[in-house]
Amino acid sequence: MKIIKFIWKKILKPFLNIFLKPNCPLCQRSADRELCQYCEKQVWRCQFPNGGEIFPGEIPVFIWGQYKDTLKRAIAAMKYEDNPQIARPLGYWLADGWLASSVANLDKVVVVPIPMHKKKQRERGFNQAELLANSFCEATGLQIRRNGLARVKQTQALFGLSRGERLETVKDAFVVGKDLRNRRPRVSVLLVDDIYTTGATVNSAIEVLRKGGIRVVGVLAIATTKKPPAKKPQLKRSRLG
């Protein structure tokens, strides 16, 4: 069964896509791009206002949209239904939103995707965070360090776990990867992941890089399960001064 799946993914499917116009993986409509125009519009409906939402903290977190509806469906189709091509537009849209934000910084910054464990990546065939980071870097011109981090601990899925359980699960899950281990960069790091939930995963990665003398200046993700921070109402200035 694994051999058949491999042949389909690596040989037959790419070959057929050269000659046949692929359908949208979300609705099976005819599509000129990775998603049809209808599904693209539905994904954009999940985008936060002003291109994205900044979750403040010691290290700012920029999120493109809410993990719901068609965006949630698109991420699931990318990860679990063998549609890695969906990462391409998502990474471009993430870049577009981030570049327009107040936290965008293109000076001496490299991009590091959150890695998967080697066994899990072999099973899936790709790391979605790396694919998002690839197209993000194509759009921004930033350099990617694919092996800036390495995941040395195979962790269970974090969905449904409490914050404490998540922190314990990802504890000691990462080490500094070969791209940053041998030569400490004179640059800062942007971390990229697909979904941001409690922050346990990225915080574990940040701590590892920090211990290695590497500064993380931002975290980016295409979607979050968290609600945007409440905006503080601005007080109207008195006409009396």
Side-chain angles (χ1 to χ4, degrees):
M1 189 66 183
K2 287 185 178 181
I3 295 176
I4 295 174
K5 186 177 180 181
F6 175 84
I7 293 173
W8 168 251
K9 287 174 61 175
K10 301 298 183 181
I11 302 174
L12 294 179
K13 188 176 180 181
F15 178 77
L16 290 174
N17 283 343
I18 296 174
F19 300 99
L20 300 177
K21 191 174 182 180
N23 290 332
C24 175
L26 304 188
C27 68
Q28 300 308 310
R29 292 183 178 92
S30 179
D32 294 321
R33 298 187 291 272
E34 291 83 3
L35 301 174
C36 70
Q37 291 185 2
Y38 173 81
C39 287
E40 277 192 0
K41 290 178 181 179
Q42 295 307 306
V43 170
W44 291 338
R45 291 172 68 91
C46 303
Q47 183 183 23
F48 287 125
N50 302 316
E53 187 67 50
I54 300 169
F55 289 73
E58 181 183 354
I59 298 174
V61 179
F62 179 84
I63 311 291
W64 186 84
Q66 192 78 55
Y67 185 62
K68 64 178 184 178
D69 303 336
T70 310
L71 178 56
K72 181 177 180 180
R73 171 76 184 97
I75 293 173
M78 173 178 65
K79 295 167 65 173
Y80 308 122
E81 299 173 20
D82 190 28
N83 289 291
Q85 73 277 10
I86 294 176
R88 188 173 178 84
L90 293 182
Y92 287 154
W93 300 338
L94 178 63
D96 188 55
W98 180 76
L99 286 170
S101 75
S102 62
V103 294
N105 179 11
L106 296 171
D107 185 35
K108 296 181 180 179
V109 176
V110 295
V111 175
V112 175
I114 295 293
M116 295 173 67
H117 190 271
K118 287 183 178 179
K119 182 180 179 181
K120 188 173 182 180
Q121 185 164 337
R122 280 196 302 268
E123 292 173 352
R124 181 168 295 171
F126 59 89
N127 173 13
Q128 66 278 354
E130 181 180 330
L131 297 182
L132 287 168
N134 282 339
S135 54
F136 176 86
C137 288
E138 285 180 15
T140 60
L142 294 174
Q143 293 186 339
I144 186 173
R145 295 289 185 268
R146 292 179 178 82
N147 298 302
L149 283 166
R151 191 184 288 254
V152 294
K153 178 182 175 183
Q154 188 171 9
T155 57
Q156 67 182 101
L158 301 183
F159 180 77
L161 299 182
S162 67
R163 177 171 174 79
E165 290 171 332
R166 288 171 181 261
L167 290 172
E168 186 61 31
T169 298
V170 297
K171 183 180 179 181
D172 301 323
F174 303 104
V175 295
V176 177
K178 62 183 181 181
D179 285 355
L180 300 178
R181 187 191 312 127
N182 299 328
R183 293 183 302 170
R184 183 180 300 176
R186 296 179 180 178
V187 295
S188 301
V189 164
L190 280 174
L191 290 175
V192 172
D193 206 357
D194 58 336
I195 304 172
Y196 182 82
T197 50
T198 64
T201 299
V202 295
N203 285 335
S204 178
I206 289 168
E207 186 61 25
V208 165
L209 291 171
R210 182 179 289 159
K211 288 179 179 179
I214 301 164
R215 182 169 173 248
V216 177
V217 293
V219 175
L220 300 99
I222 194 67
T224 185
T225 57
K226 298 180 71 174
K227 297 296 182 183
K231 305 294 184 184
K232 293 182 179 180
Q234 295 183 349
L235 297 177
K236 294 182 178 179
R237 297 182 61 184
S238 170
R239 292 184 179 181
L240 301 177

